[in-house]
Amino acid sequence: MEEDEQRIWRRCEEEQQRLERSGVLLEDPQLEVYLQEVVCRLASCDPGGLVTFEVHVIRNPYLNAFAYPNGVLYVHTGFLSTIDNEGQLATILAHEMAHVTQRHAVRQFRDVKNKAAFFATLQVAAGSVGFGDLAGLMGQFGVMAAVTGYSRELEAEADVLGYERMVDAGYDPREAVEVFTFLEEELKAEERKEPFFFGTHPRVQERRENFVSLYRRSETGGSRGHVGGDQYRLAVRGATLDNAFLNLAIGRFDLAERDLDKYIRIAGEDGRTCFARGELCRQRPERCDVEEALSQYKKCLTYDPSYADAYKKLGWIYQQRGEDEIAGRFLADYLKILPDAPDKAFVQQALEEIEKRGGQ
Amino acid sequence: MILRLSALVLLLASCAVIPWQEVEGEYRSKQDEYVVVLPQGWMRANRQDFTLVTRDGALLQNILIIRHKIGEPLPLSKKALSEQMTIQEVADVLFESFQADQNVLDCELLEKRPSDLGGIAGLRIDFTFKNRDELPMRSVAYGCISESWLYVMRYTAASRYYFERDLPVFEKAVATFRVL
């Protein structure tokens, strides 16, 4: 390995350590084992390969995946919870693996004469798509891999090689095309010109057509190949629930609902899903009756009587409805469970007001 | 604007074309319709869309004052505040918006409580986090709603040394804030 490539690898390792310390990685050892199995299946198509791949998951609700030149791949919870099966996952991972095996980062880096200006441009571009903050965390090579993408030629090369890799590994080639359906939906929902994944060039529609054409050329008499829906959904269920809460926090309610539905279909209802449903209802009064929110919070407590936030939400709703006695009971229960809750002053204020009204 | 404080501070810290001027006591924002006495000797970024002052550099400590239209989605979020929301609901949404900033890492809420801002019933949020350089930071934000606008006055500083030192300066400035 030449000196500049060694430097790039060292920089990448530093960027990855920063990501690991940042707390943005999802801790789900079972999921990582599963992802590693998929990568191994894809890598076995290239037994002479020199790179050892590993995959980690980033808690981020937007559709993205990226790879560092040293073979460390990252995929967002947003992508995992959106796609439907292992074939689609293999499409994404194989594309990223192609960037690694073809040393795209090094090639692009060497092609740029004024490197300082190039990286400055990358950071500005990252900011302009609303990704600037995470971009700062990832560092320069992460930004290139995750946000701005590679040149049109390098992305096209990753498309072809990634596609061949996933087909050689026995996955259903039709699933490769399906990934673009999700990317197009994300474009519409977020009103972005381009999603992050697969870079900015060529455009998503053009990329979809490329994949359709690759599929047609490689058609093998209708044999489908591996799709892996059930196993996939089971493996990503935790990431899907996590992503539901991420979407809920930033007001992407429809996507939060989709994530919840997917999780419940696999893992069933529990305290967290009921709480999340209650939150969805409460925060979308135009779409949901407050009675439904109350019912979901109460159901949450039947699954998990120690779910403090459910007591608090119930308390606030009853207080707003003027049902002081019930409100007071729930808010007091909240403080019983969390006597040092960071928002106890709000709760205590409400309890004092309730008491005052009761004494009048 | 609320969410992207860190990006904003970086922009100001790195961009030489934005002029800074020394604070001269009372500051009146005609655009955002408030008046506040800013700390003497601090420097103010000369911007129309927000007020930001610092003494030692915006990355070490700063006071940011912004207002946000009720009903409009918060940056990096599709959530909007509504006039029907209670103060604690506003506090919840505001804190979520602070957390949604991917540059706010290891965020820990210390306290969320009712408080006044400019004589209007509002909220106070106190939390710690690490910035993207892994520097421990602490932030205190006051907020209130007045006539379809959310006003936020937020102090952010390095946890070590700067936060404690300049917190009283910030609290003194908060006490002078008035919506016009």
Side-chain angles (χ1 to χ4, degrees):
Chain A
M1 197 186 292
E2 289 181 40
E3 199 187 326
D4 64 339
E5 193 162 4
Q6 285 176 29
R7 271 205 311 274
I8 288 173
W9 277 50
R10 280 198 297 273
R11 274 283 274 292
C12 291
E13 281 161 11
E14 285 167 17
E15 289 181 18
Q16 286 155 17
Q17 283 164 11
R18 184 184 279 198
L19 267 174
E20 276 170 32
R21 286 193 300 264
S22 70
V24 300
L25 298 188
L26 180 75
E27 285 181 28
D28 186 340
Q30 281 183 319
L31 174 58
E32 288 204 354
V33 167
Y34 170 76
L35 293 172
Q36 203 58 43
E37 283 169 3
V38 177
V39 160
C40 286
R41 180 171 176 162
L42 289 164
S44 66
C45 309
D46 183 17
L50 298 171
V51 183
T52 306
F53 291 100
E54 60 179 76
V55 198
H56 302 286
V57 179
I58 290 182
R59 297 183 67 242
N60 186 304
Y62 296 101
L63 300 194
N64 204 10
F66 57 97
Y68 277 96
N70 59 0
V72 181
L73 278 53
Y74 294 91
V75 57
H76 285 193
T77 51
F79 228 148
L80 292 176
S81 61
T82 300
I83 60 175
D84 280 332
N85 57 51
E86 192 173 307
Q88 293 165 8
L89 172 67
T91 306
I92 293 160
L93 296 178
H95 174 93
E96 294 304 327
M97 290 164 78
H99 282 311
V100 176
T101 57
Q102 301 310 302
R103 297 162 66 237
H104 284 170
V106 180
R107 282 161 62 186
Q108 185 139 321
F109 184 73
R110 284 177 182 162
D111 281 348
V112 177
K113 285 183 184 149
N114 185 345
K115 292 175 173 54
F118 171 70
F119 280 128
T121 309
L122 285 184
Q123 293 289 351
V124 171
S128 71
V129 291
F131 209 67
D133 300 319
L134 186 55
L137 185 65
M138 287 188 296
Q140 293 165 334
F141 287 97
V143 169
M144 182 163 69
V147 184
T148 56
Y150 297 98
S151 70
R152 192 185 189 114
E153 291 72 26
L154 297 184
E155 291 291 352
E157 185 178 49
D159 278 351
V160 174
L161 295 176
Y163 179 82
E164 287 171 0
R165 188 187 280 272
M166 68 90 74
V167 173
D168 288 348
Y171 288 104
D172 187 336
R174 279 173 285 197
E175 297 304 329
V177 180
E178 285 305 306
V179 171
F180 286 90
T181 307
F182 301 118
L183 290 170
E184 284 169 347
E185 282 170 5
E186 168 103 338
L187 281 180
K188 276 184 207 155
E190 293 301 311
E191 295 170 352
R192 284 201 193 111
K193 286 181 182 167
E194 297 289 339
F196 304 124
F197 181 68
F198 289 151
T200 53
H201 297 286
R203 302 182 73 83
V204 171
Q205 181 62 34
E206 189 182 328
R207 301 287 287 276
R208 173 197 265 278
E209 285 161 13
N210 289 346
F211 270 80
V212 169
S213 149
L214 282 168
Y215 167 64
R216 284 192 183 133
R217 281 208 301 272
S218 68
E219 255 186 318
T220 52
S223 69
R224 281 210 61 168
H226 185 57
V227 174
D230 290 346
Q231 199 186 354
Y232 174 80
R233 286 187 284 272
L234 187 65
V236 303
R237 67 193 187 284
T240 304
L241 184 59
D242 200 86
N243 204 60
F245 280 96
L246 292 175
N247 276 323
L248 188 55
I250 57 170
R252 302 207 308 175
F253 298 129
D254 289 344
L255 295 177
E257 195 162 32
R258 175 208 65 188
D259 293 341
L260 276 177
D261 288 344
K262 279 190 172 187
Y263 175 83
I264 291 167
R265 273 200 297 273
I266 291 297
E269 191 178 72
D270 59 28
R272 293 167 301 173
T273 63
C274 293
F275 180 78
R277 283 216 183 284
E279 284 291 271
L280 274 172
C281 246
R282 185 182 63 81
Q283 296 186 47
R284 288 194 298 186
E286 72 285 359
R287 297 261 298 263
C288 189
D289 192 87
V290 71
E291 292 298 333
E292 177 60 20
L294 288 173
S295 155
Q296 290 292 341
Y297 292 135
K298 284 175 184 169
K299 210 196 292 182
C300 163
L301 293 175
T302 63
Y303 283 112
D304 181 0
S306 67
Y307 207 110
D309 278 346
Y311 290 101
K312 184 173 67 179
K313 302 292 178 178
L314 284 163
W316 294 141
I317 292 177
Y318 280 113
Q319 191 200 16
Q320 279 179 297
R321 287 162 50 138
E323 296 181 50
D324 279 355
E325 197 187 329
I326 308 175
R329 273 208 307 270
F330 281 121
L331 292 175
D333 284 343
Y334 172 70
L335 287 185
K336 250 184 241 165
I337 295 170
L338 288 179
D340 296 317
D343 60 351
K344 70 178 174 190
F346 271 122
V347 179
Q348 281 167 341
Q349 185 190 50
L351 287 169
E352 282 164 18
E353 285 170 5
I354 287 168
E355 200 179 324
K356 216 185 284 174
R357 282 196 293 271
Q360 281 171 355
Chain B
M1 185 69 67
I2 295 163
L3 290 169
R4 311 198 63 188
L5 168 68
S6 37
L8 185 111
V9 166
L10 281 173
L11 172 77
L12 288 168
S14 61
C15 187
V17 296
I18 295 173
W20 292 82
Q21 62 187 67
E22 196 167 333
V23 167
E24 295 172 350
E26 185 176 285
Y27 173 71
R28 189 174 288 260
S29 170
K30 284 178 188 160
Q31 181 174 311
D32 287 350
E33 299 171 329
Y34 62 80
V35 61
V36 62
V37 178
L38 296 169
Q40 292 278 355
W42 286 40
M43 301 298 287
R44 180 172 64 80
N46 195 13
R47 293 286 299 245
Q48 294 290 311
D49 43 351
F50 57 84
T51 300
L52 185 127
V53 294
T54 180
R55 182 180 135 170
D56 302 293
L59 292 170
L60 286 175
Q61 103 272 76
N62 68 72
I63 296 171
L64 174 72
I65 309 171
I66 58 103
R67 73 171 188 171
H68 185 86
K69 185 83 175 156
I70 302 296
E72 285 181 4
L74 294 160
L76 293 182
S77 173
K78 288 189 182 295
K79 269 190 193 175
L81 300 172
S82 79
E83 286 172 16
Q84 288 72 45
M85 280 182 173
T86 60
I87 291 296
Q88 65 267 16
E89 284 176 316
V90 173
D92 288 345
V93 173
L94 196 56
F95 182 60
E96 279 174 343
S97 76
F98 294 144
Q99 282 183 300
D101 182 344
Q102 294 276 353
N103 194 36
V104 171
L105 305 166
D106 284 341
C107 183
E108 187 189 351
L109 176 65
L110 300 178
E111 189 186 41
K112 199 158 47 173
R113 67 171 164 84
S115 186
D116 284 2
L117 178 61
I120 302 165
L123 56 96
R124 185 184 191 272
I125 303 171
D126 183 353
F127 63 102
T128 59
F129 63 96
K130 284 185 184 159
N131 70 11
R132 70 180 186 181
D133 296 317
E134 301 179 75
L135 182 67
M137 305 292 288
R138 188 164 166 187
S139 215
V140 170
Y142 284 85
C144 71
I145 287 180
S146 173
E147 292 186 6
S148 304
W149 292 96
L150 166 74
Y151 288 84
V152 176
M153 197 163 167
R154 179 178 171 186
Y155 165 61
T156 303
S159 295
R160 192 171 171 182
Y161 181 65
Y162 291 95
F163 180 83
E164 291 296 341
R165 189 192 71 182
D166 294 321
L167 182 62
V169 177
F170 170 65
E171 297 286 4
K172 198 173 158 191
V174 167
T176 67
F177 179 91
R178 291 287 176 276
V179 175
L180 292 172

